[in-house]
Amino acid sequence: MEKAKVAVFIGSASDEATVAPCADILKKLGIPFRFTVTSAHRTPERTAELVDSLEAAGCEVFICAAGMAAHLAGAVAARTMKPVIGIPVAASPLGGAMDGLDALLATVQMPPGFPVATVALDKAGARNAAWLAAQILALHDPELVHKIRISRERFKSDVAVAGAEIEAKYC
């Protein structure tokens, strides 16, 4: 297995379905990654060990998804100099006091010097976290730039096709 360039951490196994679109995009783009569960609160030692070992092995970007207190991304940002992307998660079996707004605010409000690039809630955020990680890696990878460009062209053509289908149906 190729060494992970991206680490995807979820704070709870219940977050897997929410964050799976992130893994799907990383796979499509051919970016090696590790996807695992670790918690800032329940397993802080595991989180620290994962960050340290993955960084030592060449991991370049960390993606962290968590709900409620959502401290996982901040805990990772405190441990590494690599970019950290936070996905706030609202979809929790425990619920959230503010339906995800609590997780969003916890993820985005980091002290100076420990930034977390925060994306949207849930699956939309998971997708954009993968795209942002890809763009970061593409700074030094022309092949990845090409893959991202092709994907964006496909997004454009999908909109054009959908527009034509809707127009044909209603106009």
Side-chain angles (χ1 to χ4, degrees):
M1 180 178 183
E2 197 174 347
K3 291 182 181 177
K5 289 187 178 183
V6 176
V8 181
F9 296 162
I10 55 177
S12 170
S14 64
D15 298 332
E16 180 184 359
T18 301
V19 182
C22 177
D24 294 341
I25 291 167
L26 294 171
K27 278 182 197 172
K28 267 188 227 173
L29 293 172
I31 297 171
F33 65 96
R34 176 147 178 210
F35 190 165
T36 192
V37 179
T38 191
S39 169
H41 303 110
R42 293 179 298 252
T43 60
E45 297 85 4
R46 173 177 165 72
T47 302
E49 289 168 11
L50 282 166
V51 172
D52 293 349
S53 64
L54 284 161
E55 188 171 356
C59 184
E60 297 180 50
V61 180
F62 291 86
I63 297 173
C64 304
M68 298 178 79
H71 292 155
L72 184 56
V76 171
R79 189 104 193 151
T80 184
M81 299 297 158
K82 303 295 183 185
V84 177
I85 302 167
I87 306 168
V89 176
S92 168
L94 301 174
M98 299 166 64
D99 200 26
L101 182 58
D102 49 349
L104 175 63
L105 293 173
T107 305
V108 77
Q109 292 292 346
M110 292 299 300
F114 300 89
V116 170
T118 307
V119 293
L121 290 168
D122 296 331
K123 289 183 179 185
R127 289 181 186 95
N128 271 342
W131 288 113
L132 181 55
Q135 288 178 289
I136 291 167
L137 295 172
L139 290 170
H140 304 289
D141 186 341
E143 183 180 329
L144 191 51
V145 170
H146 180 70
K147 288 178 181 178
I148 294 168
R149 188 168 283 131
I150 287 171
S151 294
R152 286 187 174 186
E153 288 301 319
R154 197 172 7 214
F155 295 151
K156 287 182 197 177
S157 69
D158 289 349
V159 170
V161 168
E165 289 173 356
I166 293 290
E167 288 174 20
K169 186 175 177 180
Y170 292 101
C171 297

